[in-house]
Amino acid sequence: MTTLSPENSLSARQSASFILGLHPYVRTEAWKFLTGYYSWQSSQDERLTVDSTRRKNYEGLCQMYQKIQPLLENLHRNFIETRNNITYDIQKLYDKDPLGNVLIDKKRLEKILLLSYVCNTQAEYQQGFHEMVMLFQLMVEHDHETFWLFQFFLQKTEHSCVLSMGVGKNLDMLDNLINFLDPMFAEHLKGKGAGAVQSLFPWFCLCFQRAFKSFDDVWRLWEVLLTGKPCRNFQVLVAYSMLQMVRKQVLQESMTGDDILLACNKLIDLDADELISAACIVYAELIQKDVPQPLKDFFL
C-alpha cells in the first residue's frame, strides 16, 4: 500500500481495518447482528423478544410444512426430486470429528434444508447449501437460529451464492475485472483458456467454503462479506485474488481451460487472513483507476 497516493493509502488501510475478525467466543452472538437477526441498536430485552418471535415463526413454518407435505409430494414432482437430492447430499457429509465426536445432527440439518427450500421462493435448493447450512448449525445451538441465520445471510450477501441469481453476475464481473486490471491474463483466458472463468461457479456457489483449511477461515471470510467492507460484492475480488495465485503457472505453461480449472481446484487449505488482505490490495488498486461504469456500479 506504500505505493499508493496518501489519500488512497489511507482509504485502503481504513477499508482493511476489519481484517482482524471476530474472536470465536463472540462469533455466535456477533453473527446475529451482522446478518440482521438482531438490530445493532436493540437492547437486551428487545433481543430476547426478537429471538422468541423468530423461534415462534420458525415453529409456525414447521407446522405449515407438515400440513402441506402430502400435497407437495402428490402435486410437485420437483419436491420429491429436491428432497432426494438433499438426503443424498447430507449422507455424504462427515458428521464426526477426527476423535469420533458427532459434529452435526443430519436429521435436523435435513429438516432445515427442506423447510428453507419450501419457504424461500427466491433461492431454491442447490448442491452446496447443505455444506453452508452445516456451518450455521455448528455455530449456533437451536434450529430456528440456524434457519434464520442462513436466510439472512443469503439476503445480506445479495444472494451472491445462488446459482439462479447472483452467481452468473459474479462470473461476468470477474471477467470484466480481469479485462480491466490484467489485460495480458485476460487475453490468454479468451484464447487458450476459454471457458475457464465461467467454470469457476463452484467458488461462488459454495462461498469459497472448500478453499480454506478450517471452518474458522470460512467464517472469517463470510464475516467480511457480511460487513459490506471494503466494498459491495467483495467475493469477486476474492475470486480475482485466487486466480492471481495460478496466473504465473497458467501463462508459463500456456494452459488450456480445463487445465486452468484443474489448477484452480487445487487451491485448498488457504489462509483467510492472507486471502482477504490480497483482495483488499486489489480493491486499493481498483479505486486508484478510472473504473468503467459497470465495475463502479458493482463494487463502489
Side-chain angles (χ1 to χ4, degrees):
M1 291 187 186
T2 56
T3 61
L4 307 180
S5 67
E7 296 82 5
N8 284 334
S9 178
L10 177 61
S11 174
R13 289 175 189 276
Q14 288 175 338
S15 297
S17 64
F18 59 87
I19 289 178
L20 291 176
L22 294 170
H23 193 284
Y25 289 149
V26 302
R27 175 164 280 139
T28 297
E29 197 70 9
W31 264 72
K32 293 181 180 179
F33 291 94
L34 285 171
T35 58
Y37 187 101
Y38 291 146
S39 166
W40 287 102
Q41 290 76 36
S42 61
S43 66
Q44 185 174 1
D45 287 342
E46 288 170 336
R47 291 194 288 276
L48 288 172
T49 301
V50 167
D51 188 67
S52 177
T53 302
R54 302 254 187 247
R55 183 193 296 271
K56 290 176 182 176
N57 288 343
Y58 174 76
E59 290 171 351
L61 291 173
C62 289
Q63 292 171 3
M64 177 207 69
Y65 170 70
Q66 289 179 343
K67 290 179 180 178
I68 67 172
Q69 184 178 349
L71 185 65
L72 292 171
E73 291 174 345
N74 291 328
L75 297 180
H76 293 274
R77 188 176 302 170
N78 287 347
F79 174 77
I80 301 293
E81 181 180 349
T82 300
R83 186 173 63 183
N84 291 339
N85 289 339
I86 290 174
T87 301
Y88 177 74
D89 287 342
I90 290 178
Q91 285 175 346
K92 295 187 296 181
L93 279 176
Y94 292 108
D95 61 348
K96 297 180 181 179
D97 66 15
L99 298 177
N101 301 310
V102 176
L103 289 173
I104 57 170
D105 187 320
K106 290 188 174 183
K107 285 295 182 184
R108 289 169 55 199
L109 181 59
E110 183 177 9
K111 176 183 175 182
I112 293 168
L113 286 166
L114 274 170
L115 191 64
S116 179
Y117 165 68
V118 172
C119 296
N120 194 337
T121 56
Q122 286 186 296
E124 294 188 348
Y125 179 77
Q126 67 186 34
Q127 194 171 41
F129 276 179
H130 65 299
E131 295 183 34
M132 294 182 69
V133 176
M134 176 193 71
L135 285 187
F136 288 99
Q137 190 183 53
L138 289 172
M139 186 189 301
V140 296
E141 182 179 357
H142 303 292
D143 288 354
H144 73 278
E145 296 172 309
T146 303
F147 175 82
W148 288 117
L149 282 181
F150 179 56
Q151 304 307 316
F152 290 137
F153 178 83
L154 292 178
Q155 293 173 23
K156 199 74 181 284
T157 56
E158 303 181 52
H159 291 85
S160 68
C161 62
V162 180
L163 194 57
S164 60
M165 299 176 69
V167 172
K169 183 70 171 176
N170 285 335
L171 292 169
D172 290 342
M173 298 313 294
L174 175 59
D175 198 40
N176 289 344
L177 186 64
I178 299 168
N179 287 329
F180 180 61
L181 292 179
D182 195 347
M184 180 186 296
F185 194 29
E187 193 65 29
H188 180 85
L189 292 174
K190 288 177 183 175
K192 279 195 168 185
V197 172
Q198 292 298 315
S199 298
L200 296 175
F201 64 89
W203 281 0
F204 296 110
C205 288
L206 291 165
C207 222
F208 306 98
Q209 183 173 338
R210 293 179 181 171
F212 294 108
K213 60 185 177 183
S214 72
F215 291 158
D216 282 329
D217 284 282
V218 180
W219 285 322
R220 283 284 297 105
L221 175 64
W222 290 3
E223 286 155 10
V224 173
L225 299 182
L226 286 170
T227 66
K229 294 181 179 295
C231 62
R232 293 174 58 239
N233 297 303
F234 188 67
Q235 69 276 355
V236 174
L237 299 181
V238 170
Y240 178 87
S241 300
M242 290 174 66
L243 264 177
Q244 289 295 303
M245 295 177 186
V246 301
R247 179 187 187 275
K248 183 178 179 180
Q249 180 187 6
V250 167
L251 294 179
Q252 283 184 344
E253 300 179 14
S254 193
M255 287 184 171
T256 62
D258 289 342
D259 291 333
I260 295 172
L261 181 59
L262 184 62
C264 288
N265 287 338
K266 291 180 180 178
L267 292 174
I268 56 174
D269 294 337
L270 301 181
D271 181 276
D273 288 330
E274 293 177 2
L275 183 57
I276 292 166
S277 297
C280 284
I281 297 298
V282 176
Y283 172 69
E285 180 184 355
L286 189 65
I287 60 177
Q288 289 189 103
K289 299 179 179 291
D290 184 14
V291 183
Q293 196 62 43
L295 287 175
K296 187 178 294 185
D297 292 340
F298 190 70
F299 291 113
L300 309 178

